[in-house]
Amino acid sequence: MSNSRTKCHLSKKQLKELKDKVIAERERIVNKLNIENPSKKSLDFNSGKDEVDSANDDILRRNELRFATRESLYLKKLLKTLTLMDAEEYGTCEDCGQEISFTRLKARPTSTMCIGCKEESERDELQSYHGRMSKSLGKSVSFRA
């Protein structure tokens, strides 16, 4: 892994395109989270409902929470990406130090690994039977139902 970071290899036009995309995604998520949070209904809403309706409401609430958590994690990645862009450290693989291609960054602007390192990381993750760790989430991964 290379510790020396070089100036961003992307052109100003490419960097602007990617930054605009990241900012748009950030705004979409912030607006979505702000809209969803105030509209959370009181838990007393279940009074007067039958068991099936209450169970359905619980499932919907759990799904909303799961999606909000997912969006919050993605928001953190977007904010980290903007920080890297501002520090001119964006577009460099955190594992090997090589440039991440514009094509990959355009498809996934929050990428921190080149395609080769990411594929290797995923292979290692799938082949490891003990202590599986997700590099993208930093959590243990269980493949059992």
Side-chain angles (χ1 to χ4, degrees):
M1 182 161 139
S2 174
N3 287 336
S4 62
R5 300 264 186 191
T6 58
K7 190 171 180 176
C8 185
H9 66 282
L10 302 167
S11 71
K12 287 182 181 182
K13 182 179 177 184
Q14 289 172 326
L15 192 57
K16 182 179 178 349
E17 180 181 340
L18 294 169
K19 192 169 189 174
D20 289 347
K21 188 174 186 176
V22 171
I23 289 170
E25 274 295 287
R26 181 192 65 190
E27 294 305 313
R28 179 191 66 80
I29 292 171
V30 166
N31 289 334
K32 184 176 181 182
L33 292 175
N34 285 339
I35 289 170
E36 288 178 355
N37 285 339
S39 68
K40 295 296 178 195
K41 296 177 182 145
S42 169
L43 295 176
D44 292 339
F45 250 63
N46 285 338
S47 62
K49 292 185 177 182
D50 66 20
E51 290 178 23
V52 173
D53 287 339
S54 293
N56 283 335
D57 288 347
D58 287 344
I59 290 169
L60 289 173
R61 252 191 305 290
R62 272 189 246 131
N63 282 338
E64 287 174 4
L65 181 59
R66 191 178 86 219
F67 290 131
T69 301
R70 188 177 188 175
E71 294 282 21
S72 293
L73 290 171
Y74 186 47
L75 180 60
K76 287 180 183 178
K77 284 184 175 185
L78 292 168
L79 294 174
K80 179 183 175 187
T81 298
L82 288 171
T83 300
L84 290 172
M85 286 176 167
D86 291 341
E88 296 184 351
E89 296 177 355
Y90 179 68
T92 303
C93 179
E94 65 183 20
D95 276 4
C96 70
Q98 297 298 312
E99 297 174 353
I100 302 172
S101 72
F102 175 67
T103 305
R104 173 156 171 73
L105 292 170
K106 192 171 178 182
R108 189 170 189 95
T110 58
S111 295
T112 57
M113 288 189 224
C114 66
I115 194 69
C117 289
K118 184 62 178 172
E119 287 173 348
E120 183 180 341
S121 169
E122 288 175 354
R123 272 192 307 274
D124 291 348
E125 193 175 302
L126 287 174
Q127 290 176 355
S128 173
Y129 288 104
H130 301 294
R132 293 181 182 177
M133 293 292 288
S134 168
K135 275 200 164 184
S136 54
L137 296 177
K139 298 179 181 177
S140 294
V141 178
S142 174
F143 292 97
R144 289 183 277 174

